[in-house]
């Protein structure tokens, strides 16, 4: 188990929200054909996780139908999204680094999954708009607050995009710690390995205790606090190795 950074090191609230890198058009509708095809993709992916990676999900919460949630986890492999999805029947809509989203070989699949691309190092306005719309419709949004894969496996700083989304929507945040995906699909590897994968979930975090503020400086303090609380909980869950 690697040493986790302190809460202040994990929270980085000074990143500006930039311009949009994409169009929102294909997020507006998730039609019946897309839902049907995604059902088969989810079932197949879940079966692969259990059969090939001896998948275990501990303390998974019950996601009430029609209720919005944000799932926040550490990020150590491209297998992390299917590892989280395998724990739930409800569809998770992920935010993803734009660089990966735009790769020609796999970009079509991410568009099919309705992944929301974000610029690395920032959370742009239009990405937040897309995530808010999904949450307003009672959907589940998955976020990796570190902003990218940790090559070392250690938990890195959290970006304030998730805090901004939480403060605007007041949606419960479900923290999670992912284990084993880094060994199952290491960075740079094209073929996965049959290594055990495990996810540990924490109790939902609520931020209703934080008042709405208009002052810019006060909001920055809140962004820092929300980010720290989420990242600290993920770090605590990582001790359950």
């Amino acid at each position: 188990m690697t040493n986790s950074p302190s809460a202040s090191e994990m929270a980085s609230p000074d990143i500006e929200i930039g311009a949009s890198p994409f169009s929102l058009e294909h997020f507006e509708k998730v039609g019946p054909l897309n839902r049907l095809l995604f059902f088969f993709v989810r079932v197949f992916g879940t079966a692969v996780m259990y059969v090939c990676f001896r998948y275990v999900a501990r303390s998974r919460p019950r996601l009430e139908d029609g209720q919005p949630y944000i799932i926040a986890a550490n990020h150590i492999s491209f297998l992390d999204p299917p590892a989280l999805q395998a724990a739930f029947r409800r569809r998770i809509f992920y935010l993803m680094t734009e660089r990966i989203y735009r790769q020609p070989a796999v970009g079509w699949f991410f568009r099919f999954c309705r992944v929301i691309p974000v610029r690395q190092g920032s959370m742009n306005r239009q990405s937040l708009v897309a995530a808010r719309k999904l949450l307003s419709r009672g959907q589940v949004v998955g976020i990796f607050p570190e902003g990218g894969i940790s090559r070392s496996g250690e938990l890195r700083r959290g970006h304030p995009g998730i805090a901004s989304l939480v403060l605007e929507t007041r949606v419960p945040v479900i923290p999670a710690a992912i284990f084993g995906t880094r060994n199952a699909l290491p960075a740079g590897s094209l073929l996965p390995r049959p290594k055990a994968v495990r996810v540990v979930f924490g109790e939902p975090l609520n931020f209703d205790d934080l008042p709405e503020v208009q002052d810019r400086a006060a909001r920055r303090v809140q962004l820092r606090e929300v980010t720290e609380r989420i990242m600290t909980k993920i770090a605590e869950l990582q001790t359950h190795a």
Side-chain angles (χ1 to χ4, degrees):
M1 179 67 191
T2 57
N3 293 327
S4 297
S6 66
S8 60
E9 291 174 327
M10 291 185 293
S12 177
D14 300 324
I15 299 173
E16 295 295 329
I17 297 174
S20 168
F22 70 102
S23 169
L24 278 178
E25 292 181 1
H26 77 283
F27 294 94
E28 294 301 320
K29 293 182 180 180
V30 179
L33 179 59
N34 182 276
R35 289 194 295 269
L36 177 63
L37 292 175
F38 186 83
F39 169 79
F40 290 110
V41 169
R42 180 183 63 80
V43 170
F44 175 77
T46 300
V48 169
M49 292 303 299
Y50 277 96
V51 173
C52 298
F53 301 108
R54 307 191 299 279
Y55 179 77
V56 174
R58 290 179 51 192
S59 304
R60 76 180 84 188
R62 176 180 173 82
L63 302 186
E64 300 292 341
D65 291 339
Q67 295 297 313
Y69 298 92
I70 296 172
I71 299 179
N74 60 313
H75 200 11
I76 52 177
S77 170
F78 288 120
L79 273 181
D80 295 338
L84 290 178
Q85 182 64 77
F88 303 105
R89 292 185 177 181
R90 291 191 60 185
R91 182 173 185 172
I92 302 174
F93 294 86
Y94 290 100
L95 281 80
M96 170 183 284
T97 303
E98 179 193 11
R99 178 177 58 84
I100 305 299
Y101 177 87
R102 292 192 182 279
Q103 290 185 358
V106 291
W108 64 271
F109 180 74
F110 297 139
R111 288 189 292 274
F112 160 76
C113 291
R114 300 300 191 264
V115 169
I116 303 172
V118 296
R119 284 199 176 97
Q120 195 161 12
S122 69
M123 286 287 289
N124 58 77
R125 289 186 178 89
Q126 212 159 347
S127 298
L128 292 176
V129 168
R132 285 200 303 270
K133 283 189 175 184
L134 287 169
L135 293 171
S136 71
R137 296 169 184 166
Q139 302 291 352
V140 181
V141 171
I143 299 179
F144 300 103
E146 296 165 274
I149 293 175
S150 171
R151 299 299 181 182
S152 68
E154 295 183 4
L155 191 64
R156 303 186 304 171
R157 290 186 177 188
H159 290 256
I162 186 172
S164 177
L165 193 59
V166 167
L167 290 174
E168 291 175 2
T169 64
R170 303 291 168 154
V171 169
V173 177
I174 299 173
I178 302 173
F179 303 88
T181 53
R182 185 166 175 258
N183 295 326
L185 187 63
S189 177
L190 296 178
L191 296 177
R193 305 169 183 175
K195 303 292 185 179
V197 171
R198 184 162 55 94
V199 181
V200 179
F201 294 94
E203 292 293 326
L205 302 175
N206 292 284
F207 298 89
D208 294 334
D209 58 309
L210 297 179
E212 293 187 9
V213 296
Q214 301 297 327
D215 179 72
R216 187 180 181 89
R219 179 169 175 80
R220 289 173 70 86
V221 172
Q222 282 194 343
L223 287 172
R224 181 179 295 109
E225 179 179 348
V226 171
T227 307
E228 287 181 357
R229 285 164 63 174
I230 293 171
M231 299 307 293
T232 298
K233 188 59 182 179
I234 294 174
E236 291 176 359
L237 292 171
Q238 285 186 312
T239 64
H240 297 182

